Amino acid sequence: MEYYSNQIRLLVEQLASLPGIGGKTAQRLAFHIIDMPKERVEKLAETILKAKQTIRYCSQCLTLTDQELCPICSNPARDQKTIMVVENPRDMSAYEKTGKYEGVYHVLHGAISPMLGIGPSDIRLKELVHRLEKEVDEVIIATNSSLEGETTAMYISKLIKPTGIKVSRIASGVPVGGDLEYIDEVTLLRALEGRVEL
Ligand code: ZN
């Protein structure tokens, strides 16, 4: 990309380093940004920076939020005694879109993967165990049906069993290796409703 001047090259490089954005898209975005009015570019840059500065983990479920407690954890209408364990905030929003789940969540921020050297202490399991000290009726494990997701589900179920709290796993129907975020709402609901006790 030597035919671009330095600043354009830097912008394209920065954009191309984002997930899902290849070289061509990065170039298109870069030229689009350069064509945008200065105020809009400032607004975009400011919004990104502000999001980075203010967004943090919810102190209860660890999803991303700009408050101490996320809107779900702080909603008195939600059933605080049912906790659905998901791998990341995107999976959580997939379940929220169904509009049918009334409990709360716990976001692990990853899954156990011996192959990648990600162990139980690398994901937010300690925080989950801590939450179980309060009154909890059921933990629904909704990790992905990938090898990592299944390994994580097994690990969590073994961890929780001795406490006597009900542990369930969302039903298959979610395709193997499928990321929850790409699965349609009907399939998600079916998986939730057909969950099996472990
Ligand atoms: Zn929360």
Side-chain angles (χ1 to χ4, degrees), residues 57-65 67-74 80 92 104-107 131:
Y57 294 140
C58 168
S59 63
Q60 181 171 274
C61 74
L62 302 167
T63 193
L64 299 172
T65 180
Q67 304 289 323
E68 169 76 18
L69 276 179
C70 74
I72 296 168
C73 288
S74 59
Q80 300 283 335
M92 171 176 167
V104 291
Y105 296 88
H106 186 85
V107 182
R131 285 178 74 180

Side-chain angles (χ1 to χ4, degrees), residues 79-111:
D79 168 17
Q80 300 283 335
K81 293 179 184 171
T82 303
I83 302 175
M84 186 194 287
V85 181
V86 292
E87 290 183 21
N88 55 57
R90 296 188 307 276
D91 293 344
M92 171 176 167
S93 69
Y95 266 100
E96 275 308 285
K97 276 187 206 135
T98 68
K100 292 276 162 58
Y101 176 66
E102 284 160 0
V104 291
Y105 296 88
H106 186 85
V107 182
L108 294 171
H109 293 280

Side-chain angles (χ1 to χ4, degrees), residues 85 87 106 108 110-114 118-129 132 139 141-144 146-163 165 167-169 198:
V85 181
E87 290 183 21
H106 186 85
L108 294 171
I112 298 169
S113 171
I118 302 169
S121 59
D122 297 314
I123 58 175
R124 311 302 284 264
L125 276 173
K126 215 172 51 216
E127 290 87 346
L128 175 64
V129 173
L132 301 180
V139 174
I141 307 174
T143 50
N144 291 336
S146 59
L147 180 60
E148 292 79 14
E150 293 299 345
T151 307
T152 309
M154 287 293 289
Y155 189 90
I156 295 174
S157 111
K158 278 192 195 137
L159 204 65
I160 298 178
K161 272 274 154 162
T163 66
I165 295 168
V167 195
S168 59
R169 175 85 173 110
L198 295 174

